[in-house]
Amino acid sequence: MTDTAKDSGWDPSQPILEIDHLSISFFTRLREIPAVMDFSCKVMAGEAMGLVGESGCGKSTVALAVMRELGKTGKIVAGTIKFKGRDLTHMGQDELQTIRGSEIAMIYQEPMASLNPAMKIGAQLAEVPMIHSGMSKDDAWKLARQIVAYVRLPDPDRIINAYPHQLSGGQQQRIVIAMALMAKPALLILDEPTTALDVTVEAGIVDLVKDLGEKYGTSMLFISHNLGLVMDVCNRICVMYSGEAVETGNVVQVFDKMRHPYTQALFRSIPLPGADKNARPLISIPGNFPLPHERPSGCNFGPRCDYFQKGRCDAADIPMDTVPVDDRHATRCLRWQEIDWDAPPAKREVKVKAPVGRVVLKMEDLKKYYAISSGAFGGGAKKVVKANETLSFEAREGETLAIVGESGCGKSTFAKVLMGLETATSGSIMLFDENVQSTPIQKRNVDTVSSVQMVFQNPFDTLNPSMTVGRQIIRALEIFKHGKSDADRQARMLELLDLVKLPRAFADRMPRQLSGGQKQRVGIARAFAGGAKVVVADEPVSALDVSVQAAVTDLLMDIQRENRTTLLFISHDLSIVRYLSDRVMVMYLGHVVEMGTTDQVFSPPYHPYTEALLSAVPIADTKVIRKRIVLDGDIPSAVNPPPGCPFQTRCRWKSQVTPAGLCDREMPPVQVLEGGHQIKCHLSAEVFASMEPVIKIAAE
């Protein structure tokens, strides 16, 4: 099918995608569940529209409706979806089949869900033009190789003959993008395409998507909960809340002149430059997201809104209202013209900085190696995985130390060794003057186990689905031998629910009755059941919505101030790290490559890897100017690390090191700069002094 045939009868000055008053419901045996109501949006040719909002707001449902893939229970109950002027809602399956894949393509959140593990990459790519355009097999394979090169994958000949499991997560996602582009679709739908990827890989994918959009003139519907990512990719935005569009417009206008309270609340709950956990703490959105069958009358956001007026905001359904002068800017708010949008938030509460006390944890020259077999079934020569290499640091009472780096850098291995789930190969771990380096958790005494606890990444996997919330916390109290009686433990369990700001009535609830943020609070309550002094938080907010992230990080900070807890915060999200950490440790391939206070690590001079990490972080602020540094290649294997500096295979500063070849031969020394700032690098003091900030605030 030629591009001309695809576009026949469509005027490119008209919207390529026009969704008008769309309502979608899911029908169960009990009731009709309205998922999307009165949703409208337009995407013009070449535009990238960002759909943002909390989990459950209907973003993915809208995307699946465009693809007409709502399953057996989902149904479009009102409105239209027009693609190039043709109404998709009344199309037959045969007609839809010719459009899906060839004119409209979708990229899903999990790349392996789109790839066949038993087929070579080239065969999967070649299928697209063979099915949709009738292309010959030889020509389709040539096109597949060409597209693999377009999506910036190294050695295209090797890639097209590889199987999906032989590629990294970032490479798999690039293949899925390549597959979507094989038929040169006019509209590309991307549903959280970078959620599971490291920030450095995400930066490469974002650049790729933008470049390919410009190259092919592809229009995009980009679904994300990350406002910074939407600003990087899109020129228009549609903010959704509880099944409705509440604000839409040009990205810059919506970011700088938001006209809906929910949009404002979202921005106040994300850690932009200038946010400070003490002086300018984040403001979480009060209350909870309404269930689809329990929506309030009038404004859906009313019960959580600072500007709510009873008898007015809840009197009737609220239509979208045009914001004059601006570029197709509209809001679903009755009071948008009465609100002072520049007024400082009334609820912001300045916190007292917790004093930092004595050293409670000290690691010296810690190494953790794993022996693995090279054979498929345990045979073959033994190889060594060097997960952690000479790790040295200390953490103090009441301090937050952030540990950052890409997947595979050794962050979680270090956490397992500290917790006693693994034992170190060599080195020492001094915990309250006791060396626990070679003591597994089974042999640690109750006091040691209770004093070091962990909050895990996924709150859904850490709770027993068959036990009530209260019973799970009491179980932890029993293990830690807290209290002399059941009554003592019951009272302490209720106090812990108070500590994590959950209603005491939640003690009788089952985990399935809780939201993600509420489950994470239960996990935190359980971690503090034994009076933990050191808490390892392994990506504790990455699975949560931005509004819930603010509440959970604030909760951790409040508990830290009250209990003088030492918090080891493992994360790849440098925006959160900048907001809540006192010191930062940057890891790469098992090594600590930089360590210092948050101000030191986020300002030049940087380790070249830290510089690349910072440049990759999407920031939802139109005043921020970022230097763009996209790392080439993947993180090397810990089984076969490169000689010399572990980062030398990806370093853009390598050519400035003298003598030439030093980075290839020798492990760099740890240079201690002003204020105790440590950088493991061969670069000279003169080169460090010449480094410019990666993130700048534009002059007004």
Side-chain angles (χ1 to χ4, degrees):
M1 185 183 291
T2 65
D3 289 344
T4 311
K6 286 182 185 180
D7 297 341
S8 60
W10 174 65
D11 179 0
S13 67
Q14 295 301 306
I16 193 163
L17 179 70
E18 185 172 13
I19 303 173
D20 192 37
H21 299 292
L22 179 70
S23 294
I24 301 164
S25 290
F26 289 89
F27 292 86
T28 68
R29 283 178 295 177
L30 293 175
R31 61 170 73 91
E32 175 187 349
I33 299 173
V36 173
M37 300 96 60
D38 189 37
F39 178 84
S40 300
C41 95
K42 291 179 185 176
V43 182
M44 304 302 287
E47 269 185 352
M49 169 72 81
L51 273 187
V52 301
E54 292 170 280
S55 299
C57 71
K59 307 185 297 289
S60 295
T61 304
V62 168
L64 291 170
V66 174
M67 297 296 287
R68 289 284 307 276
E69 290 181 348
L70 290 169
K72 292 180 180 177
T73 57
K75 187 179 178 186
I76 295 168
V77 293
T80 58
I81 304 171
K82 289 182 179 175
F83 173 70
K84 293 185 175 178
R86 297 150 70 194
D87 190 353
L88 298 175
T89 55
H90 294 105
M91 260 184 205
Q93 282 302 315
D94 289 346
E95 203 173 355
L96 280 170
Q97 204 69 31
T98 62
I99 288 177
R100 280 195 295 237
S102 62
E103 294 198 65
I104 306 175
M106 187 162 176
I107 295 168
Y108 296 90
Q109 184 170 348
E110 176 47 62
M112 274 308 285
S114 305
L115 296 173
N116 185 334
M119 280 177 73
K120 288 185 177 180
I121 295 297
Q124 297 190 54
L125 291 171
E127 267 191 340
V128 179
M130 287 165 69
I131 290 170
H132 290 291
S133 309
M135 192 179 283
S136 70
K137 184 177 178 180
D138 287 348
D139 288 344
W141 270 80
K142 283 178 189 171
L143 180 60
R145 191 200 176 284
Q146 187 183 355
I147 295 276
V148 165
Y150 278 162
V151 296
R152 303 178 195 158
L153 281 166
D155 194 358
D157 292 318
R158 180 185 69 81
I159 294 284
I160 62 172
N161 286 295
Y163 288 95
H165 71 270
Q166 295 172 303
L167 308 182
S168 68
Q171 289 174 333
Q172 288 171 358
Q173 193 62 287
R174 284 170 189 261
I175 290 299
V176 172
I177 291 170
M179 195 181 293
L181 292 169
M182 284 293 283
K184 299 183 182 174
L187 177 67
L188 188 58
I189 302 171
L190 303 100
D191 189 359
E192 301 274 13
T194 62
T195 300
L197 304 177
D198 281 310
V199 67
T200 49
V201 181
E202 178 181 84
I205 297 287
V206 165
D207 277 5
L208 170 68
V209 167
K210 283 161 61 179
D211 289 352
L212 293 171
E214 289 169 12
K215 185 181 184 72
Y216 292 112
T218 310
S219 305
M220 281 185 266
L221 195 61
F222 189 90
I223 298 168
S224 181
H225 65 274
N226 187 326
L227 289 161
L229 210 54
V230 167
M231 196 182 92
D232 276 357
V233 175
C234 304
N235 39 33
R236 294 193 64 76
I237 186 172
C238 177
V239 182
M240 291 188 73
Y241 181 80
S242 189
E244 293 180 327
V246 295
E247 184 164 11
T248 185
N250 174 300
V251 163
V252 175
Q253 287 170 350
V254 171
F255 277 40
D256 290 349
K257 296 194 292 179
M258 57 201 70
R259 291 297 179 262
H260 194 279
Y262 177 60
T263 312
Q264 184 186 63
L266 275 182
F267 274 88
R268 286 178 174 175
S269 66
I270 58 176
L272 297 172
D276 181 282
K277 65 181 177 183
N278 299 308
R280 291 169 57 85
L282 303 180
I283 301 169
S284 58
I285 303 174
N288 292 310
F289 196 79
L291 293 170
H293 58 283
E294 294 177 354
R295 291 188 176 106
S297 57
C299 176
N300 280 345
F301 188 60
R304 305 174 75 189
C305 180
D306 292 340
Y307 310 105
F308 177 76
Q309 279 187 353
K310 192 168 176 58
R312 185 180 173 195
C313 297
D314 55 359
D317 289 346
I318 297 168
M320 290 291 273
D321 191 12
T322 301
V323 178
V325 183
D326 287 356
D327 175 21
R328 293 167 16 224
H329 191 173
T331 178
R332 196 182 294 272
C333 179
L334 288 176
R335 301 197 59 210
W336 71 268
Q337 289 172 295
E338 305 162 21
I339 295 168
D340 181 359
W341 297 100
D342 297 320
K347 291 183 181 176
R348 180 165 280 149
E349 179 187 346
V350 176
K351 307 284 177 83
V352 178
K353 188 180 188 306
V356 173
R358 68 189 180 101
V359 174
V360 295
L361 173 67
K362 187 172 185 178
M363 285 196 181
E364 284 194 78
D365 296 331
L366 185 88
K367 292 184 180 181
K368 176 59 184 175
Y369 293 172
Y370 294 97
I372 60 167
S373 300
S374 57
F377 299 102
K382 293 286 184 186
K383 291 187 176 182
V384 174
V385 177
K386 297 180 179 181
N388 288 150
E389 278 277 19
T390 58
L391 224 62
S392 297
F393 74 92
E394 57 185 39
R396 297 175 178 272
E397 185 180 58
E399 177 182 54
T400 301
L401 172 66
I403 299 123
V404 301
E406 292 169 288
S407 301
C409 73
K411 306 187 298 288
S412 295
T413 300
F414 139 77
K416 287 175 187 173
V417 170
L418 174 59
M419 297 299 298
L421 302 173
E422 302 273 3
T423 53
T425 305
S426 65
S428 69
I429 305 173
M430 298 301 294
L431 183 64
F432 303 107
D433 304 320
E434 178 190 359
N435 190 353
V436 296
Q437 169 259 331
S438 57
T439 313
I441 195 164
Q442 299 91 333
K443 294 184 180 178
R444 292 185 181 182
N445 62 50
V446 171
D447 286 345
T448 304
V449 172
S450 63
S451 65
V452 184
Q453 284 293 298
M454 195 159 183
V455 178
F456 295 91
Q457 179 172 0
N458 195 338
F460 308 94
D461 294 339
T462 55
L463 299 179
N464 187 329
S466 60
M467 255 189 213
T468 63
V469 164
R471 181 65 201 134
Q472 301 200 44
I473 297 172
I474 287 172
R475 179 78 186 112
L477 292 168
E478 289 170 351
I479 291 168
F480 297 141
K481 296 182 168 51
H482 180 92
K484 295 177 181 176
S485 66
D486 289 346
D488 285 350
R489 286 186 280 274
Q490 178 75 15
R492 178 59 181 155
M493 178 269 291
L494 294 173
E495 287 172 6
L496 285 163
L497 287 178
D498 294 341
L499 180 73
V500 297
K501 297 172 184 166
L502 283 176
R504 290 188 168 198
F506 275 39
D508 298 321
R509 290 198 182 184
M510 304 299 283
R512 67 176 181 273
Q513 296 172 289
L514 272 57
S515 68
Q518 289 166 345
K519 286 177 184 172
Q520 194 61 292
R521 286 167 187 262
V522 175
I524 293 168
R526 202 169 51 179
F528 281 92
K533 297 298 180 190
V534 178
V535 171
V536 181
D538 189 358
E539 303 271 14
V541 295
S542 64
L544 306 175
D545 282 312
V546 288
S547 54
V548 183
Q549 279 184 11
V552 172
T553 50
D554 241 25
L555 171 67
L556 283 168
M557 293 298 100
D558 286 343
I559 293 173
Q560 182 184 56
R561 291 183 189 99
E562 191 175 320
N563 293 7
R564 311 273 291 126
T565 316
T566 302
L567 185 65
L568 302 181
F569 191 85
I570 298 172
S571 182
H572 68 274
D573 185 341
L574 288 166
S575 298
I576 289 277
V577 165
R578 184 176 197 162
Y579 169 67
L580 60 79
S581 63
D582 301 304
R583 287 191 304 133
V584 180
M585 182 165 89
V586 183
M587 291 185 68
Y588 185 81
L589 207 59
H591 294 261
V592 176
V593 295
E594 183 163 5
M595 190 186 300
T597 66
T598 307
D599 288 342
Q600 287 170 343
V601 171
F602 279 77
S603 307
Y606 312 104
H607 185 280
Y609 176 58
T610 309
E611 180 190 47
L613 279 182
L614 291 173
S615 80
V617 179
I619 300 171
D621 190 334
T622 58
K623 300 178 191 66
V624 167
I625 301 168
R626 269 186 308 148
K627 186 185 289 183
R628 202 73 168 139
I629 304 162
V630 176
L631 288 179
D632 291 325
D634 296 311
I635 190 166
S637 168
V639 177
N640 186 25
C645 173
F647 188 61
Q648 53 101 347
T649 57
R650 304 167 81 193
C651 183
R652 76 186 192 103
W653 291 90
K654 186 176 168 182
S655 61
Q656 300 204 31
V657 172
T658 53
L662 183 63
C663 298
D664 301 331
R665 296 190 306 271
E666 290 184 22
M667 180 66 68
V670 175
Q671 300 188 47
V672 181
L673 309 178
E674 189 179 347
H677 184 190
Q678 299 176 24
I679 299 181
K680 193 172 190 173
C681 188
H682 285 302
L683 287 174
S684 66
E686 291 75 28
V687 174
F688 278 140
S690 71
M691 284 187 172
E692 295 180 347
V694 172
I695 300 166
K696 293 181 183 176
I697 307 295
E700 292 287 344

